[in-house]
Every structure is written in C-alpha cells, then in structure tokens.
Amino acid sequence: MTLDGELSDPDRRILLHDLRLTLAPEWLPDVLVALSREPMSYTGLLGTLRSYEVARGRRWAQPVMRDSVLHRTLRWMQDRGLVERDRGQEWPFTAVYRLTPPAMDLVGLVLPMAEWAAAHEDLLELDRRIWAERRRRRKNSRKAHRSRSR
C-alpha cells in the first residue's frame, strides 16, 4: 500500500489472487446469496440450493447441489470466517448458518456480478460452448487413444 492508503497495481493483483483462492469452492456464491436473505438450517439451505428452476429459456443442465458438497463448502466458509454455525440448545438439535459481516460485504459485490452476467449472457453462452467443445475433444481423444492401444 502507498502512504495515502491507495493500493498499488501489484497489491491489487496479489489481493485479487488471494481472494480467488478464498472464493474457490464452486458453490460459494450460491451459499452467499441464499444466506444473504436470512440465516438457515442446513436442511433449509440444501433445499434452497436444490430448488433452482430453469429460468429464461436456458438450454444447459442446471447444477445439482450434493449434500457432501454443501458440507465441504460450509466448512470452507466457516474456516475462513465467512459463515457462523449456531447449534440449537433443544432436542432435536439443529444448526443454523448465518453470514458474518465480512461475508455480507462480499454479497454486496457478488450481486452486481450477477447483474453483469445477466447483461452479458452472450459471453457466458460463448464460454459454455468453448468448454463443451473442449470436453468433446478430450473425450474423443481418449476414445481414439484407447482404440489405438488395443
């Protein structure tokens, strides 16, 4: 940082690189958005994340949240101070997850990114096609390699 408190470009790059590592889990943005409205139990959060509807005529398959993935994502977020887990005092014990203040700040940054994505869906569609083509080529090259090795 400079003396006036402004970040230099190298500082920004380093911090953004570190932020990418913190935001690494695939489902982290989904959990942020879901918990931004209110704290939720694990079961409630899982149900919310599984309740996506195919919106706006999308042609690609919607992702499905698995129980183990949500568990790992919440653990990741807890370990990094983004989520707090409060366990109830009465039987049956239920845990409630809530975002920490820094995570709520992060939500304020993620929501405009979703708006950007909506405004530039053509770029997202292009990226999906590129990834699909890569997967197709990789799959075909594996088949060709197997048939040659026989």
Side-chain angles (χ1 to χ4, degrees):
M1 275 176 79
T2 61
L3 294 176
D4 61 3
E6 289 291 317
L7 291 174
S8 67
D9 283 347
D11 287 336
R12 283 188 184 99
R13 288 194 332 265
I14 290 167
L15 290 168
L16 288 171
H17 181 269
D18 292 346
L19 178 61
R20 276 195 311 266
L21 297 175
T22 299
L23 302 178
E26 177 182 0
W27 286 89
L28 191 138
D30 302 72
V31 173
L32 283 173
V33 171
L35 290 177
S36 69
R37 296 191 194 326
E38 62 183 342
M40 291 184 178
S41 68
Y42 183 88
T43 306
L45 181 57
L46 184 61
T48 297
L49 294 173
R50 286 181 172 171
S51 69
Y52 288 116
E53 297 176 11
V54 178
R56 300 168 8 151
R58 299 251 162 92
R59 293 174 294 194
W60 64 92
Q62 295 298 327
V64 176
M65 170 57 87
R66 290 189 165 77
D67 184 55
S68 60
V69 173
L70 178 56
H71 178 77
R72 282 192 307 268
T73 302
L74 288 170
R75 178 65 53 124
W76 175 278
M77 293 175 76
Q78 278 182 272
D79 291 347
R80 286 150 183 85
L82 298 172
V83 167
E84 294 174 341
R85 179 181 181 265
D86 299 323
R87 184 173 165 210
Q89 301 298 320
E90 297 179 20
W91 180 259
F93 299 113
T94 58
V96 174
Y97 293 88
R98 74 182 79 256
L99 296 180
T100 62
M104 288 301 290
D105 290 344
L106 191 53
V107 168
L109 300 173
V110 170
L111 295 178
M113 290 173 67
E115 296 298 324
W116 178 91
H120 301 285
E121 270 190 282
D122 56 325
L123 296 176
L124 301 179
E125 182 62 31
L126 175 63
D127 190 54
R128 279 194 279 302
R129 279 192 240 128
I130 291 169
W131 280 106
E133 179 62 23
R134 283 184 180 176
R135 283 190 301 274
R136 187 187 63 71
R137 275 195 228 138
R138 195 176 310 132
K139 184 178 177 181
N140 289 341
S141 71
R142 286 182 192 147
K143 284 181 182 178
H145 178 71
R146 274 189 242 137
S147 64
R148 278 184 265 150
S149 63
R150 290 183 181 181

